[in-house]
Amino acid sequence: MIDVDAFKSFLGVRMVFLFGKEWTRKELEQRTGQLAQIAGVRLVTLQNGPEQGVRVLEFRSGSGLTFTINIDRGFDLGDCAWGGTNLGWLSSTGTRHPSLHEHDGENGFGWLRSFSGTNATCGLDQNLFPATDDVTHYHYPPRKQMTQPLHGRVANSPAHLMGYGERWNEDGSCTLWAKGLVKQVAVFAENLWLYRTVEVDLGSDKIRLHDEVVNMGFNRTTHMYLYHLNFGFPLLDEGTEYVAPIARVIWAAHEQEYESQGVGYAIQSEPKKNFNEQVYEHEMMADQNGRIPVLLINRRLNAGEGLAVKVTTLKAQFPCQFEWQALSEGCFALGIEPSTNHVLGKNFARDRNEVRWLEHRESYAYDLEIDVLHSAKSIAAAVDEVYAICRQPDEQYPRPEGNWFSLQEYLLPAKYNG
Protein backbone atom coordinates (compact mmCIF):
# COMPACT_ATOMS: atom_id res chain seq x y z
CA MET A 1 0.00 0.00 0.00
CA ILE A 2 1.27 3.48 -0.87
CA ASP A 3 2.17 5.73 2.07
CA VAL A 4 0.19 8.81 0.97
CA ASP A 5 1.94 11.22 3.33
CA ALA A 6 5.39 9.99 2.28
CA PHE A 7 4.39 10.29 -1.39
CA LYS A 8 3.19 13.85 -0.85
CA SER A 9 6.51 14.66 0.86
CA PHE A 10 8.37 13.16 -2.13
CA LEU A 11 6.39 15.41 -4.45
CA GLY A 12 7.23 18.47 -2.33
CA VAL A 13 3.69 18.90 -1.06
CA ARG A 14 3.74 20.53 2.38
CA MET A 15 0.84 19.98 4.72
CA VAL A 16 -0.44 21.95 7.68
CA PHE A 17 0.09 20.45 11.15
CA LEU A 18 -2.95 21.03 13.34
CA PHE A 19 -4.67 19.15 16.15
CA GLY A 20 -1.99 16.50 16.33
CA LYS A 21 -1.81 15.54 12.64
CA GLU A 22 -1.07 16.85 9.15
CA TRP A 23 -3.73 18.15 6.78
CA THR A 24 -3.92 19.22 3.16
CA ARG A 25 -5.83 22.32 2.15
CA LYS A 26 -8.57 20.18 0.64
CA GLU A 27 -8.97 18.13 3.81
CA LEU A 28 -9.37 21.28 5.91
CA GLU A 29 -11.82 22.81 3.43
CA GLN A 30 -13.88 19.62 3.53
CA ARG A 31 -14.29 20.09 7.27
CA THR A 32 -14.96 23.83 7.52
CA GLY A 33 -17.15 26.43 5.90
CA GLN A 34 -14.28 28.89 6.09
CA LEU A 35 -10.81 28.93 7.58
CA ALA A 36 -11.99 31.40 10.26
CA GLN A 37 -13.58 28.43 12.04
CA ILE A 38 -10.10 27.30 13.14
CA ALA A 39 -7.72 30.22 12.43
CA GLY A 40 -7.48 33.55 10.68
CA VAL A 41 -7.11 37.32 10.84
CA ARG A 42 -10.00 39.59 11.82
CA LEU A 43 -10.24 43.39 11.73
CA VAL A 44 -12.03 44.98 14.68
CA THR A 45 -12.26 48.47 16.20
CA LEU A 46 -11.97 49.11 19.94
CA GLN A 47 -14.87 51.15 21.26
CA ASN A 48 -14.45 52.31 24.85
CA GLY A 49 -12.33 54.69 26.90
CA PRO A 50 -8.91 55.93 25.70
CA GLU A 51 -8.72 53.05 23.21
CA GLN A 52 -11.87 54.15 21.35
CA GLY A 53 -11.35 54.10 17.59
CA VAL A 54 -8.13 52.08 17.56
CA ARG A 55 -8.22 49.50 14.76
CA VAL A 56 -6.90 46.06 15.69
CA LEU A 57 -6.12 42.91 13.74
CA GLU A 58 -6.74 39.71 15.70
CA PHE A 59 -4.57 36.73 14.66
CA ARG A 60 -5.28 33.07 15.52
CA SER A 61 -2.77 30.61 14.08
CA GLY A 62 -4.79 27.52 15.07
CA SER A 63 -1.95 26.18 17.23
CA GLY A 64 -3.07 28.05 20.34
CA LEU A 65 -1.06 31.17 19.44
CA THR A 66 -3.09 34.38 19.40
CA PHE A 67 -1.92 37.97 19.08
CA THR A 68 -3.11 41.37 17.95
CA ILE A 69 -1.69 44.17 15.82
CA ASN A 70 -2.60 47.69 16.90
CA ILE A 71 -2.92 49.28 13.46
CA ASP A 72 -3.22 52.80 14.85
CA ARG A 73 -0.32 52.37 17.25
CA GLY A 74 2.63 51.93 14.89
CA PHE A 75 1.33 48.59 13.56
CA ASP A 76 2.87 47.07 16.70
CA LEU A 77 1.99 43.85 18.51
CA GLY A 78 -0.52 44.35 21.32
CA ASP A 79 -1.79 41.23 23.09
CA CYS A 80 0.05 37.92 22.77
CA ALA A 81 -0.85 34.55 24.31
CA TRP A 82 -0.46 30.83 23.78
CA GLY A 83 -3.06 28.27 24.86
CA GLY A 84 -4.87 30.96 26.80
CA THR A 85 -1.75 31.86 28.82
CA ASN A 86 -0.60 35.44 28.46
CA LEU A 87 2.91 36.18 27.21
CA GLY A 88 2.98 39.89 26.45
CA TRP A 89 2.72 42.97 28.66
CA LEU A 90 -0.11 45.46 28.90
CA SER A 91 0.53 48.52 31.05
CA SER A 92 -1.96 50.59 33.01
CA THR A 93 -2.15 53.08 30.11
CA GLY A 94 -3.98 50.55 27.93
CA THR A 95 -4.17 50.78 24.16
CA ARG A 96 -4.40 54.56 23.98
CA HIS A 97 -5.64 56.25 20.82
CA PRO A 98 -2.80 58.15 19.05
CA SER A 99 -4.84 61.37 18.93
CA LEU A 100 -4.43 61.59 22.72
CA HIS A 101 -0.66 61.38 22.54
CA GLU A 102 1.65 64.39 22.86
CA HIS A 103 4.96 63.44 21.25
CA ASP A 104 6.88 66.32 22.82
CA GLY A 105 5.06 66.40 26.15
CA GLU A 106 6.79 66.27 29.53
CA ASN A 107 10.22 67.14 28.15
CA GLY A 108 10.08 64.18 25.80
CA PHE A 109 8.91 61.62 28.37
CA GLY A 110 5.24 61.83 27.40
CA TRP A 111 5.87 58.59 25.49
CA LEU A 112 5.36 56.78 28.81
CA ARG A 113 1.68 57.81 28.86
CA SER A 114 1.00 55.54 25.87
CA PHE A 115 3.56 52.77 26.49
CA SER A 116 1.92 49.34 26.38
CA GLY A 117 1.93 46.13 24.35
CA THR A 118 4.14 43.23 23.35
CA ASN A 119 6.15 45.46 21.02
CA ALA A 120 6.73 49.19 20.90
CA THR A 121 8.82 50.10 17.87
CA CYS A 122 11.31 52.86 18.63
CA GLY A 123 12.46 55.18 15.84
CA LEU A 124 12.55 56.19 13.10
CA ASP A 125 15.22 58.88 13.42
CA GLN A 126 15.85 58.44 17.17
CA ASN A 127 15.35 55.40 19.37
CA LEU A 128 16.58 56.03 22.93
CA PHE A 129 16.48 58.82 25.51
CA PRO A 130 15.41 62.35 24.49
CA ALA A 131 18.09 64.15 22.50
CA THR A 132 18.55 67.58 20.97
CA ASP A 133 19.60 67.15 17.37
CA ASP A 134 21.19 69.43 14.81
CA VAL A 135 18.69 69.65 11.92
CA THR A 136 20.40 72.21 9.70
CA HIS A 137 20.57 69.50 7.00
CA TYR A 138 16.85 70.16 6.40
CA HIS A 139 17.69 73.72 5.22
CA TYR A 140 15.04 75.53 7.27
CA PRO A 141 16.90 78.45 8.91
CA PRO A 142 14.31 79.27 11.63
CA ARG A 143 14.90 75.85 13.22
CA LYS A 144 18.47 74.75 13.67
CA GLN A 145 17.79 72.19 16.43
CA MET A 146 15.04 69.70 17.19
CA THR A 147 14.33 67.97 20.51
CA GLN A 148 13.45 64.35 19.89
CA PRO A 149 11.32 62.46 22.45
CA LEU A 150 12.05 59.27 24.33
CA HIS A 151 12.18 56.34 21.87
CA GLY A 152 11.07 58.49 18.95
CA ARG A 153 7.66 59.09 17.40
CA VAL A 154 6.73 56.02 15.37
CA ALA A 155 5.11 53.83 18.06
CA ASN A 156 2.33 56.35 18.61
CA SER A 157 1.56 56.97 14.95
CA PRO A 158 -1.38 55.42 13.05
CA ALA A 159 -0.67 53.15 10.10
CA HIS A 160 -2.20 52.78 6.66
CA LEU A 161 -3.57 49.23 6.50
CA MET A 162 -2.32 47.93 3.15
CA GLY A 163 -3.89 44.49 3.39
CA TYR A 164 -4.42 41.36 5.48
CA GLY A 165 -5.75 37.84 5.16
CA GLU A 166 -4.71 34.29 4.40
CA ARG A 167 -2.45 33.05 1.61
CA TRP A 168 -2.22 29.44 0.48
CA ASN A 169 1.28 28.84 -0.84
CA GLU A 170 2.40 26.63 -3.70
CA ASP A 171 4.01 24.17 -1.28
CA GLY A 172 0.66 23.56 0.45
CA SER A 173 1.29 25.71 3.51
CA CYS A 174 -0.91 28.61 4.50
CA THR A 175 0.27 32.00 5.80
CA LEU A 176 -1.78 34.49 7.78
CA TRP A 177 -0.46 37.97 7.05
CA ALA A 178 -0.91 41.71 7.38
CA LYS A 179 0.94 44.68 5.89
CA GLY A 180 0.95 48.28 7.04
CA LEU A 181 2.65 51.58 6.30
CA VAL A 182 3.55 54.04 9.06
CA LYS A 183 4.76 57.49 8.06
CA GLN A 184 6.88 59.82 10.19
CA VAL A 185 6.72 63.07 8.27
CA ALA A 186 6.99 66.84 8.82
CA VAL A 187 7.44 69.84 6.55
CA PHE A 188 11.10 70.94 6.54
CA ALA A 189 12.06 67.79 8.44
CA GLU A 190 12.15 64.00 8.07
CA ASN A 191 10.03 62.01 5.62
CA LEU A 192 10.52 58.42 6.73
CA TRP A 193 8.19 55.54 5.83
CA LEU A 194 8.04 52.21 7.64
CA TYR A 195 6.64 49.27 5.67
CA ARG A 196 5.83 46.36 7.99
CA THR A 197 4.75 42.82 7.17
CA VAL A 198 3.60 40.47 9.96
CA GLU A 199 3.17 36.76 9.24
CA VAL A 200 2.41 33.50 11.01
CA ASP A 201 1.92 30.16 9.28
CA LEU A 202 -1.26 28.20 9.90
CA GLY A 203 -0.55 25.80 12.76
CA SER A 204 2.67 27.57 13.71
CA ASP A 205 3.84 29.12 16.98
CA LYS A 206 6.20 31.62 15.32
CA ILE A 207 5.47 35.28 14.52
CA ARG A 208 7.61 36.87 11.79
CA LEU A 209 8.10 40.61 11.30
CA HIS A 210 9.81 42.14 8.30
CA ASP A 211 10.33 45.89 8.27
CA GLU A 212 11.73 48.29 5.72
CA VAL A 213 12.42 51.93 6.61
CA VAL A 214 12.69 54.22 3.57
CA ASN A 215 13.69 57.88 3.33
CA MET A 216 11.08 59.30 0.98
CA GLY A 217 12.38 62.85 1.45
CA PHE A 218 15.04 64.62 -0.58
CA ASN A 219 17.25 65.55 2.38
CA ARG A 220 19.57 63.04 4.02
CA THR A 221 18.05 61.91 7.30
CA THR A 222 19.31 60.14 10.40
CA HIS A 223 17.92 56.70 11.19
CA MET A 224 17.95 54.71 14.44
CA TYR A 225 15.81 51.68 15.28
CA LEU A 226 14.88 49.47 18.23
CA TYR A 227 12.26 46.85 19.09
CA HIS A 228 11.01 47.28 22.67
CA LEU A 229 9.68 43.73 23.16
CA ASN A 230 7.78 43.49 26.42
CA PHE A 231 6.74 40.37 28.32
CA GLY A 232 4.63 40.07 31.46
CA PHE A 233 2.85 37.81 33.92
CA PRO A 234 2.44 34.85 34.01
CA LEU A 235 5.35 34.19 31.62
CA LEU A 236 7.27 36.68 33.75
CA ASP A 237 7.23 35.70 37.40
CA GLU A 238 9.56 34.84 40.24
CA GLY A 239 12.15 32.39 38.88
CA THR A 240 11.66 33.22 35.19
CA GLU A 241 14.98 32.80 33.35
CA TYR A 242 16.62 35.15 30.86
CA VAL A 243 18.94 33.10 28.62
CA ALA A 244 21.07 34.67 25.90
CA PRO A 245 24.48 34.30 24.20
CA ILE A 246 26.05 37.06 26.34
CA ALA A 247 29.79 37.41 25.93
CA ARG A 248 30.00 40.30 28.40
CA VAL A 249 27.93 42.97 30.07
CA ILE A 250 28.88 46.36 28.67
CA TRP A 251 26.79 48.76 30.75
CA ALA A 252 24.15 48.88 33.48
CA ALA A 253 22.01 51.90 34.30
CA HIS A 254 22.06 50.91 37.99
CA GLU A 255 25.77 50.10 38.27
CA GLN A 256 26.29 52.22 41.38
CA GLU A 257 23.69 50.14 43.28
CA TYR A 258 24.27 46.99 41.29
CA GLU A 259 23.18 44.44 43.91
CA SER A 260 21.12 46.61 46.24
CA GLN A 261 17.70 45.58 44.89
CA GLY A 262 18.54 41.88 45.11
CA VAL A 263 17.75 41.07 41.47
CA GLY A 264 20.41 39.94 39.01
CA TYR A 265 20.12 39.89 35.27
CA ALA A 266 19.32 36.19 34.68
CA ILE A 267 16.76 35.11 37.31
CA GLN A 268 13.75 37.36 37.75
CA SER A 269 12.05 38.19 41.05
CA GLU A 270 8.50 38.64 42.26
CA PRO A 271 7.08 42.17 41.98
CA LYS A 272 8.94 44.50 44.33
CA LYS A 273 7.75 47.66 46.02
CA ASN A 274 9.46 50.85 44.81
CA PHE A 275 11.70 48.88 42.43
CA ASN A 276 13.84 51.12 40.21
CA GLU A 277 14.11 49.88 36.64
CA GLN A 278 17.32 48.05 35.76
CA VAL A 279 18.71 48.30 32.22
CA TYR A 280 21.68 46.42 30.82
CA GLU A 281 23.48 46.47 27.51
CA HIS A 282 24.82 43.02 26.74
CA GLU A 283 27.29 42.21 24.00
CA MET A 284 25.75 39.21 22.26
CA MET A 285 27.43 36.65 20.08
CA ALA A 286 25.72 35.33 16.94
CA ASP A 287 25.62 31.85 15.43
CA GLN A 288 27.27 30.99 12.12
CA ASN A 289 24.28 32.43 10.27
CA GLY A 290 24.46 35.72 12.14
CA ARG A 291 21.38 34.98 14.25
CA ILE A 292 21.00 35.93 17.93
CA PRO A 293 18.41 33.93 19.95
CA VAL A 294 17.25 35.28 23.33
CA LEU A 295 14.99 33.24 25.62
CA LEU A 296 12.59 34.03 28.43
CA ILE A 297 11.58 30.81 30.21
CA ASN A 298 9.05 29.97 32.92
CA ARG A 299 9.46 26.28 33.72
CA ARG A 300 6.47 26.17 36.09
CA LEU A 301 3.80 26.85 33.48
CA ASN A 302 2.00 24.51 31.08
CA ALA A 303 1.57 21.59 33.50
CA GLY A 304 5.28 21.47 34.22
CA GLU A 305 6.34 21.33 30.56
CA GLY A 306 7.34 24.97 30.76
CA LEU A 307 6.54 27.94 28.53
CA ALA A 308 9.06 30.19 26.80
CA VAL A 309 9.50 32.77 24.09
CA LYS A 310 12.51 32.83 21.81
CA VAL A 311 13.26 36.17 20.19
CA THR A 312 15.61 35.93 17.21
CA THR A 313 17.28 38.83 15.40
CA LEU A 314 20.24 39.28 13.05
CA LYS A 315 23.50 40.72 14.36
CA ALA A 316 24.05 42.62 11.10
CA GLN A 317 20.76 44.46 11.61
CA PHE A 318 20.76 44.81 15.40
CA PRO A 319 24.33 44.71 16.73
CA CYS A 320 23.25 45.95 20.20
CA GLN A 321 20.95 44.27 22.73
CA PHE A 322 19.42 45.61 25.95
CA GLU A 323 17.59 43.96 28.84
CA TRP A 324 14.96 46.02 30.68
CA GLN A 325 13.77 44.88 34.10
CA ALA A 326 10.75 46.86 35.34
CA LEU A 327 9.82 44.60 38.23
CA SER A 328 7.87 47.07 40.33
CA GLU A 329 4.40 46.37 41.67
CA GLY A 330 1.70 47.17 39.12
CA CYS A 331 4.19 47.45 36.27
CA PHE A 332 6.11 44.15 36.27
CA ALA A 333 7.62 43.79 32.82
CA LEU A 334 10.76 42.49 31.21
CA GLY A 335 11.97 43.90 27.91
CA ILE A 336 14.15 42.30 25.25
CA GLU A 337 15.47 45.17 23.14
CA PRO A 338 17.51 44.66 19.96
CA SER A 339 18.91 48.00 18.75
CA THR A 340 20.89 49.51 15.91
CA ASN A 341 22.87 51.66 18.38
CA HIS A 342 24.38 51.60 21.86
CA VAL A 343 22.17 52.37 24.83
CA LEU A 344 23.57 55.85 25.55
CA GLY A 345 21.64 57.25 22.62
CA LYS A 346 21.94 59.65 19.74
CA ASN A 347 24.44 62.12 21.16
CA PHE A 348 26.76 59.22 22.05
CA ALA A 349 26.30 57.77 18.56
CA ARG A 350 27.04 61.12 16.94
CA ASP A 351 30.24 61.55 18.96
CA ARG A 352 31.42 58.13 17.77
CA ASN A 353 30.29 58.66 14.15
CA GLU A 354 27.83 55.78 14.50
CA VAL A 355 24.63 57.47 13.33
CA ARG A 356 23.08 55.89 10.25
CA TRP A 357 22.06 58.21 7.43
CA LEU A 358 19.60 57.63 4.62
CA GLU A 359 19.65 59.52 1.37
CA HIS A 360 16.55 59.89 -0.83
CA ARG A 361 14.88 56.48 -1.32
CA GLU A 362 17.57 54.60 0.58
CA SER A 363 16.31 52.02 3.05
CA TYR A 364 17.30 49.57 5.76
CA ALA A 365 15.49 46.27 6.37
CA TYR A 366 14.94 44.45 9.66
CA ASP A 367 13.73 40.98 10.59
CA LEU A 368 12.38 39.57 13.85
CA GLU A 369 11.02 36.20 14.94
CA ILE A 370 9.08 35.49 18.13
CA ASP A 371 8.75 31.75 18.67
CA VAL A 372 6.64 30.24 21.47
CA LEU A 373 8.07 27.07 23.02
CA HIS A 374 5.73 24.92 25.07
CA SER A 375 7.47 21.61 25.78
CA ALA A 376 10.40 20.72 27.99
CA LYS A 377 12.12 19.19 24.97
CA SER A 378 11.84 22.29 22.75
CA ILE A 379 12.93 24.56 25.60
CA ALA A 380 15.98 22.40 26.33
CA ALA A 381 16.90 22.40 22.62
CA ALA A 382 16.64 26.21 22.51
CA VAL A 383 18.88 26.56 25.59
CA ASP A 384 21.41 24.24 23.93
CA GLU A 385 21.22 26.42 20.81
CA VAL A 386 22.14 29.49 22.87
CA TYR A 387 24.93 27.72 24.76
CA ALA A 388 26.41 26.44 21.51
CA ILE A 389 26.97 30.08 20.54
CA CYS A 390 28.15 31.41 23.89
CA ARG A 391 27.41 30.52 27.51
CA GLN A 392 26.23 33.55 29.43
CA PRO A 393 27.84 34.55 32.76
CA ASP A 394 26.89 32.23 35.62
CA GLU A 395 26.96 34.95 38.26
CA GLN A 396 23.85 37.06 38.72
CA TYR A 397 25.83 40.31 38.97
CA PRO A 398 28.57 40.28 36.31
CA ARG A 399 30.35 43.63 36.44
CA PRO A 400 29.80 45.93 33.44
CA GLU A 401 33.04 46.22 31.48
CA GLY A 402 32.34 49.46 29.60
CA ASN A 403 33.89 48.11 26.40
CA TRP A 404 31.83 49.92 23.76
CA PHE A 405 32.60 47.95 20.61
CA SER A 406 32.65 49.88 17.35
CA LEU A 407 29.54 49.83 15.18
CA GLN A 408 31.34 50.93 12.03
CA GLU A 409 31.17 47.49 10.42
CA TYR A 410 27.41 47.44 10.99
CA LEU A 411 26.78 50.71 9.17
CA LEU A 412 25.99 48.69 6.08
CA PRO A 413 25.31 50.38 2.75
CA ALA A 414 21.66 51.23 2.54
CA LYS A 415 19.58 49.69 -0.23
CA TYR A 416 18.33 52.04 -2.95
CA ASN A 417 14.57 51.65 -3.10
CA GLY A 418 13.78 53.04 -6.52
Side-chain angles (χ1 to χ4, degrees):
M1 180 179 292
I2 295 176
D3 185 330
V4 175
D5 289 348
F7 186 63
K8 289 176 179 176
S9 177
F10 173 76
L11 294 176
V13 176
R14 181 179 168 190
M15 293 187 288
V16 174
F17 186 83
L18 279 171
F19 319 123
K21 62 170 292 185
E22 290 186 323
W23 306 87
T24 64
R25 177 180 182 177
K26 181 179 180 180
E27 289 169 337
L28 289 175
E29 289 178 342
Q30 288 172 329
R31 288 162 171 80
T32 59
Q34 55 180 300
L35 186 63
Q37 181 171 315
I38 54 175
V41 190
R42 181 170 63 176
L43 175 63
V44 301
T45 302
L46 306 181
Q47 292 291 347
N48 202 12
E51 67 186 17
Q52 184 174 353
V54 174
R55 295 168 299 159
V56 170
L57 289 171
E58 297 179 335
F59 276 74
R60 295 176 299 126
S61 77
S63 70
L65 174 63
T66 60
F67 62 93
T68 61
I69 297 174
N70 293 330
I71 299 168
D72 295 309
R73 292 288 309 279
F75 219 73
D76 274 329
L77 302 179
D79 304 329
C80 186
W82 183 86
T85 300
N86 178 67
L87 305 171
W89 174 70
L90 300 179
S91 80
S92 54
T93 72
T95 307
R96 198 160 175 253
H97 193 279
S99 66
L100 303 175
H101 185 73
E102 299 177 0
H103 287 284
D104 297 311
E106 302 179 46
N107 296 317
F109 286 93
W111 188 86
L112 296 170
R113 292 194 177 274
S114 300
F115 178 32
S116 186
T118 303
N119 182 36
T121 302
C122 303
L124 298 170
D125 56 347
Q126 127 82 0
N127 69 345
L128 292 158
F129 279 96
T132 299
D133 207 11
D134 181 335
V135 291
T136 55
H137 54 282
Y138 293 127
H139 306 289
Y140 182 58
R143 181 172 59 184
K144 295 179 172 57
Q145 291 184 325
M146 179 190 300
T147 299
Q148 297 177 327
L150 174 68
H151 291 316
R153 304 175 187 276
V154 70
N156 297 297
S157 300
H160 297 263
L161 179 58
M162 301 178 71
Y164 68 97
E166 61 195 54
R167 180 182 70 243
W168 284 95
N169 306 308
E170 290 185 1
D171 65 0
S173 64
C174 180
T175 301
L176 311 176
W177 66 276
K179 187 170 184 177
L181 168 62
V182 188
K183 297 181 180 181
Q184 182 183 321
V185 178
V187 176
F188 303 132
E190 75 276 8
N191 187 356
L192 295 170
W193 294 14
L194 164 61
Y195 291 95
R196 169 165 292 169
T197 302
V198 182
E199 295 182 335
V200 60
D201 291 333
L202 179 61
S204 169
D205 298 310
K206 181 183 295 184
I207 304 169
R208 301 188 299 271
L209 270 71
H210 176 76
D211 288 351
E212 189 169 13
V213 178
V214 187
N215 179 13
M216 294 299 292
F218 287 86
N219 296 306
R220 66 194 303 257
T221 300
T222 61
H223 170 52
M224 301 174 72
Y225 210 52
L226 180 150
Y227 291 134
H228 209 302
L229 299 160
N230 310 299
F231 300 96
F233 179 80
L235 177 66
L236 174 64
D237 205 354
E238 182 178 7
T240 295
E241 303 165 37
Y242 176 90
V243 178
I246 301 170
R248 58 190 60 82
V249 178
I250 297 176
W251 177 89
H254 55 293
E255 184 177 3
Q256 299 306 313
E257 298 85 26
Y258 203 43
E259 301 182 28
S260 64
Q261 297 192 102
V263 183
Y265 84 97
I267 305 299
Q268 312 310 310
S269 73
E270 77 285 359
K272 288 182 171 287
K273 189 175 184 62
N274 298 325
F275 185 88
N276 293 323
E277 69 168 9
Q278 298 184 167
V279 183
Y280 306 80
E281 179 169 349
H282 302 303
E283 183 175 357
M284 304 281 196
M285 304 297 289
D287 68 13
Q288 60 184 2
N289 296 313
R291 295 163 65 87
I292 299 175
V294 178
L295 303 171
L296 195 61
I297 306 168
N298 187 327
R299 299 184 188 274
R300 300 174 185 172
L301 295 177
N302 194 27
E305 282 288 310
L307 193 60
V309 292
K310 180 173 75 168
V311 174
T312 304
T313 53
L314 295 172
K315 181 84 170 181
Q317 297 174 352
F318 293 108
C320 304
Q321 289 262 359
F322 316 140
E323 176 189 358
W324 176 60
Q325 294 172 312
L327 305 178
S328 56
E329 297 171 321
C331 181
F332 204 57
L334 186 140
I336 296 172
E337 303 179 40
S339 173
T340 58
N341 292 88
H342 289 303
V343 71
L344 293 185
K346 195 163 192 178
N347 294 333
F348 184 76
R350 187 187 300 108
D351 292 343
R352 290 165 55 91
N353 193 30
E354 292 177 346
V355 175
R356 296 181 175 193
W357 289 86
L358 290 172
E359 302 287 351
H360 172 61
R361 280 199 175 273
E362 285 187 337
S363 68
Y364 276 106
Y366 302 94
D367 298 279
L368 170 74
E369 293 179 353
I370 302 174
D371 201 355
V372 183
L373 311 175
H374 46 85
S375 71
K377 181 178 179 181
S378 63
I379 292 171
V383 172
D384 289 344
E385 177 188 352
V386 171
Y387 287 171
I389 301 169
C390 176
R391 193 175 184 98
Q392 67 191 53
D394 291 327
E395 62 269 34
Q396 284 294 301
Y397 304 97
R399 301 308 304 182
E401 298 182 11
N403 54 324
W404 302 98
F405 60 92
S406 173
L407 300 181
Q408 291 301 319
E409 66 178 289
Y410 300 104
L411 297 175
L412 303 174
K415 172 187 173 184
Y416 182 71
N417 210 317

